[in-house]
Amino acid sequence: MSSLINKHVLLGVSGGIAAYKSAELIRRLKDLGADVRVVMTSAAQEFITPLTLQALSGNPVYTELLDPEAEAGMGHIELARWADIFFIAPCTADLIARLALGQGNDLLTTIALACQAPLALAPAMNQAMWSHAATQDNLALLINRGAKVFGPDSGSQACGDTGFGRMSEPAVLATQLSECFSSGLLSGLNVVITAGPTREAIDPVRYISNHSSGKMGYALAQACAEAGARTRLISGPTQLSCPANVERIDVTSAQEMLDAALACKADIFIGAAAVADYRPETIAEQKIKKQGADTGTTTLTLVQNPDIIATIASDINKPFVVGFAAETENVVSYARSKLIKKRLDLVIANDVSRQDIGFNSDDNAVTLISATGEEYLEPRSKYQLALELVRRIAIAYR
Ligand code: C5P
């Protein structure tokens, strides 16, 4: 069963009697784990109040394009960027026409123009309006541009007619929406991902580690599971919860991460972990006491950790191996030498000297490097980036 856990669903509500079902729809979307924000047209507010949808979504409802207060907080461009999917339910004949024309004459249509996330529509209207050639032509245009259309159902209508035009039931719509995130691109494949930092113990209370949040690796695990792969996530210590349908194997040190990686059969191996390069030569059994009272210094002898991804890639039956390269300068050339030296199939390189992306940030921008070329992927959320990366990994693997 698909889920909407961690998904940002931007729900557009337009002015039809089915707008009353939007309240129930928000409940069902939230049941599947979605974070829901609502945008309403002015006509929608004649049928149901923003306050109702605010209370149910737990977020402010957006209604005005030129609202200085909203623009100072989450304006139309931020909302468009925030969305993992833009779902318009109910979607009236008028709105379908405006979307087909590419109009931006209110908040909802402006967001539709600015939004790069997938668009899904649940049409709702009188049966004659639904079967009108203008509506059908407009809808065909939107489908041709990639929009998904759910329903409408057939049955008795609020206006007394009977026929196609009723908005589908909220529970059905929520399930259909969740299925938009299951691409099947990796179905039947075993994907193993390492993520997060490792901790290298010094004594029972101290360790060496780094600032990796694990967000990129977890986003990739979510995207791989949604693409149908059996996904195992070998994770160092993080604050993150395990994505749906992902098997997490918790580890602490680099050696434990390597052991876990060697124990998993993989068709595709993605090394997103920030593995500590060195560990203390010995782990003291008791807490080390303050030393060097005279000099103010102490010495810790470190030994090199195994290179997990290089070990996996050196296997005679090596999986398709994807590595990361976090660099502060000469990003592409350093990453390319890693591709060759570690025998990787793809390297995802990012510039960690930039403040807006990378370590601990929610956004990232990367350059994807293979033996034959390179491609820059613009900044976006780590989840959106993971979806793009999984698409490219699946193509390269096949
Ligand atoms: O050498 P560097 O740490 O920059 O390489 C980064 C890539 O190698 C990442 O994919 C990382 O997960 C992996 N790596 C590893 N084991 C190590 C060090 C890095 O798997 N000991």
Side-chain angles (χ1 to χ4, degrees), residues 6-24:
N6 293 334
K7 295 294 185 311
H8 292 173
V9 176
L10 186 59
L11 180 66
V13 182
S14 63
I17 181 61
Y20 82 92
K21 290 189 188 172
S22 304
E24 175 71 8

Side-chain angles (χ1 to χ4, degrees), residues 89-355:
C91 190
T92 59
D94 171 65
L95 185 56
I96 288 172
R98 290 193 290 134
L99 292 170
L101 267 180
Q103 287 190 345
N105 49 0
D106 63 6
L107 179 63
L108 196 153
T109 49
T110 311
I111 291 173
L113 285 175
C115 192
Q116 292 179 321
L119 175 68
L121 313 174
M125 65 199 73
N126 164 269
Q127 52 84 24
M129 294 168 77
W130 170 250
S131 54
H132 196 285
T135 304
Q136 290 303 315
D137 285 354
N138 288 331
L139 205 65
L141 194 62
L142 293 174
I143 292 170
N144 202 26
R145 288 184 200 146
K148 299 244 182 332
V149 178
F150 305 144
D153 290 349
S154 175
S156 64
Q157 301 199 293
C159 53
D161 281 4
T162 302
F164 278 98
R166 285 164 58 98
M167 187 167 93
S168 303
E169 290 310 312
V172 174
L173 289 175
T175 305
Q176 286 175 313
L177 196 77
S178 69
E179 285 163 0
C180 289
F181 291 95
S182 334
S183 67
L185 276 171
L186 297 176
S187 63
L189 296 178
N190 283 296
V191 175
V192 176
I193 301 173
T194 65
T198 64
R199 278 183 191 168
E200 310 301 330
I202 298 172
D203 66 18
V205 294
R206 302 183 181 96
Y207 57 81
I208 299 170
S209 191
N210 58 63
H211 290 297
S212 167
S213 63
K215 285 178 187 168
M216 194 64 235
Y218 275 60
L220 276 165
Q222 183 176 345
C224 287
E226 287 167 3
R230 176 187 177 195
T231 308
R232 277 166 292 182
L233 178 64
I234 304 174
S235 176
T238 71
Q239 301 294 316
L240 304 173
S241 48
C242 186
N245 302 319
V246 171
E247 301 162 46
R248 186 170 72 185
I249 301 163
D250 289 316
V251 297
T252 304
S253 67
Q255 187 59 52
E256 284 173 21
M257 193 173 268
L258 175 65
D259 294 343
L262 289 171
C264 292
K265 178 188 159 343
D267 300 299
I268 297 174
F269 184 92
I270 305 175
V275 184
D277 287 328
Y278 295 93
R279 67 178 182 279
E281 187 177 35
T282 53
I283 305 173
E285 275 181 26
Q286 305 300 332
K287 185 181 168 195
I288 299 170
K289 298 310 237 181
K290 215 174 280 174
Q291 297 162 16
D294 302 336
T295 60
T297 62
T298 189
T299 303
L300 192 62
T301 304
L302 302 177
V303 294
Q304 207 163 2
N305 266 329
D307 193 307
I308 298 166
I309 208 165
T311 309
I312 297 293
S314 66
D315 193 284
I316 188 101
N317 295 315
K318 83 188 256 295
F320 185 88
V321 186
V322 183
F324 272 78
E327 304 290 350
T328 54
E329 56 176 355
N330 303 327
V331 177
V332 171
S333 65
Y334 284 158
R336 187 165 288 290
S337 58
K338 229 160 260 183
L339 180 90
I340 297 160
K341 205 169 127 213
K342 298 196 186 200
R343 301 184 66 224
L344 308 178
D345 296 290
L346 281 177
V347 172
I348 300 163
N350 59 343
D351 182 346
V352 285
S353 69
R354 286 175 59 172
Q355 296 292 310

